[in-house]
């Protein structure tokens, strides 16, 4: 058995890398749906269907637990699949399987509170003292998931989201640092203007953006911390496996990488992030 990691493309490698560091003995199988990337501009229906197909593929390969290393899939598809598809699908298999997303650990990291904690809403107005900027795909921003879930837990935090259409695709295509910096700078300027001042903290709410986190760091105001989803997710998955020994992560240390797109080595930007070549097999 193994841990499956799913993304539309190479972005989920950021989460995969953190998971592997945390759970080195586990067997991992990665699937990038590069034939259909990017997901960020697709309809909810399409995102749900593509995410389901990716999960089936990973379960077929022997995954017991799948991590949706994609905000867009986690925000748009996860709850739907858990409610409408997974219970029936689970019955058709003779082993325990589950799918986890990356929004919950990110909200926990951003609020400093466990997911179960929903603050009591009091009538009096709470001053927003902490301005959090979320950079994400169009679909994730449209879902307002970060605004809604953070507001339920921390009324002193104001969330502003900035859709960065095209940025995930630039990373898939291995765009150069100058072009990436220009695009990221424009988004940081746009959200700063909208807020009226620089943000206090930032979430890279698309796993692709972690591959260019250094450019975000250089572009965001000095002292504006970035909440990193890969680390938060790896911690959460480790704790989840401790609580749920029924999901078998394997012990062989296997690493396989599948793509629905063109098999082969990934671009130089991915290699620089990964620290060496990453070769995807045909799914
Ligand atoms: N990496 C994904 C995310 O975290 C999706 C990017 C895309 O395919 O548009 O949202």
């Amino acid at each position: 058995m193994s841990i499956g990691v799913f993304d539309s493309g190479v972005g989920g490698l950021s989460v995969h890398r953190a998971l592997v560091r945390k759970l080195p003995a586990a067997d991992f199988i990665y699937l990038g749906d590069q034939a259909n990337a990017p997901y960020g501009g697709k309809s909810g229906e399409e995102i749900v269907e593509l995410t389901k197909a990716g999960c089936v593929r990973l379960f077929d390969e022997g995954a017991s637990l799948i991590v949706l290393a994609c905000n867009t899939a986690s925000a748009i598809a996860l709850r739907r699949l858990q409610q409408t598809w997974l219970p029936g699908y689970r019955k058709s298999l003779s082993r325990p399987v589950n799918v986890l997303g990356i929004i919950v650990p990110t909200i926990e990291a951003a609020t400093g509170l466990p997911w179960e904690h929903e603050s009591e809403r009091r009538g009096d107005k709470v001053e927003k003292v902490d301005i959090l900027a979320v950079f994400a795909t169009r679909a994730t921003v449209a879902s307002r998931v970060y605004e809604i879930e953070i507001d339920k837990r921390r009324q002193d935090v104001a969330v502003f989201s900035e859709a960065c259409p095209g940025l995930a695709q630039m990373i898939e295509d291995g765009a150069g640092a100058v072009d990436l910096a220009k695009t990221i700078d424009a988004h940081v300027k746009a959200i700063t203007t909208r807020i009226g001042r620089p943000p206090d903290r930032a979430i890279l709410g698309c796993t692709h953006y972690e591959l260019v986190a250094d450019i975000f760091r250089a572009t965001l105001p000095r002292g504006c911390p970035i909440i990193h989803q890969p680390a938060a997710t790896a911690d959460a998955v480790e704790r989840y496996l401790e609580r749920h020994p029924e999901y078998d992560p394997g012990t062989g240390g296997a690493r396989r990488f599948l793509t629905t797109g063109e098999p082969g080595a990934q671009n130089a930007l991915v290699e620089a992030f990964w620290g060496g070549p990453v070769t995807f097999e045909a799914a």
Side-chain angles (χ1 to χ4, degrees), residues 14 26 32 35-36 50 72 91 120 131 178 193 203-204 221 242 250 262:
S14 57
N36 296 299
L50 293 170
T72 311
K91 281 193 194 132
E120 270 175 45
I131 309 281
V178 172
T193 305
I203 292 177
L204 305 187
E242 281 164 10
E262 281 295 306

Side-chain angles (χ1 to χ4, degrees), residues 127-142:
E127 200 191 341
K128 306 274 187 203
V129 290
D130 185 6
I131 309 281
L132 184 58
V134 178
F135 298 90
T137 66
R138 219 178 237 155
T140 301
V141 170

Side-chain angles (χ1 to χ4, degrees), residues 27-205:
D27 295 316
F28 283 94
I29 176 146
Y30 185 90
L31 175 62
D33 188 13
Q34 288 178 304
N36 296 299
Y39 280 12
K42 293 193 188 300
S43 71
E45 265 331 292
E46 281 175 292
I47 295 165
V48 170
E49 284 311 310
L50 293 170
T51 305
K52 190 206 289 183
C55 289
V56 169
R57 186 77 183 87
L58 285 168
F59 286 138
D60 284 350
E61 290 287 338
S64 59
L65 186 67
I66 293 174
V67 179
L68 297 182
C70 174
N71 288 267
T72 311
S74 300
I76 313 298
L78 181 58
R79 192 168 297 174
R80 271 271 295 280
L81 294 179
Q82 282 172 335
Q83 288 172 348
T84 62
W85 168 72
L86 200 55
Y89 183 77
R90 221 179 244 136
K91 281 193 194 132
S92 72
L93 297 179
S94 54
R95 58 194 175 88
V97 293
N98 204 7
V99 183
L100 304 178
I102 58 174
I103 306 273
V104 171
T106 310
I107 301 280
E108 289 183 331
T111 59
L113 294 167
W115 180 252
E116 297 70 33
H117 180 105
E118 286 188 25
S119 59
E120 270 175 45
R121 285 191 159 274
R122 284 177 294 136
D124 40 316
K125 267 201 153 140
V126 178
E127 200 191 341
K128 306 274 187 203
V129 290
D130 185 6
I131 309 281
L132 184 58
V134 178
F135 298 90
T137 66
R138 219 178 237 155
T140 301
V141 170
S143 77
R144 296 185 51 79
V145 65
Y146 284 105
E147 284 84 345
I148 294 167
E149 298 299 343
I150 289 174
D151 188 61
K152 276 185 202 164
R153 294 164 176 83
R154 287 277 306 268
Q155 275 101 58
D156 58 329
V157 178
V159 179
F160 287 80
S161 294
E162 171 76 3
C164 310
L167 183 53
Q169 188 61 50
M170 285 176 82
I171 294 163
E172 283 291 317
D173 294 341
V178 172
D179 287 342
L180 286 163
K182 219 185 275 169
T183 302
I184 291 168
D185 187 55
H187 287 299
V188 170
K189 286 209 170 90
I191 197 166
T192 304
T193 305
R194 205 141 41 78
I195 298 169
R197 70 160 173 89
D200 299 311
R201 298 186 293 152
I203 292 177
L204 305 187

Side-chain angles (χ1 to χ4, degrees), residues 225-244:
I226 294 176
I227 295 158
H228 291 287
Q229 296 193 301
T233 304
D235 286 346
V237 170
E238 184 185 40
R239 290 196 304 271
Y240 185 84
L241 286 169
E242 281 164 10
R243 291 197 308 276
H244 294 277

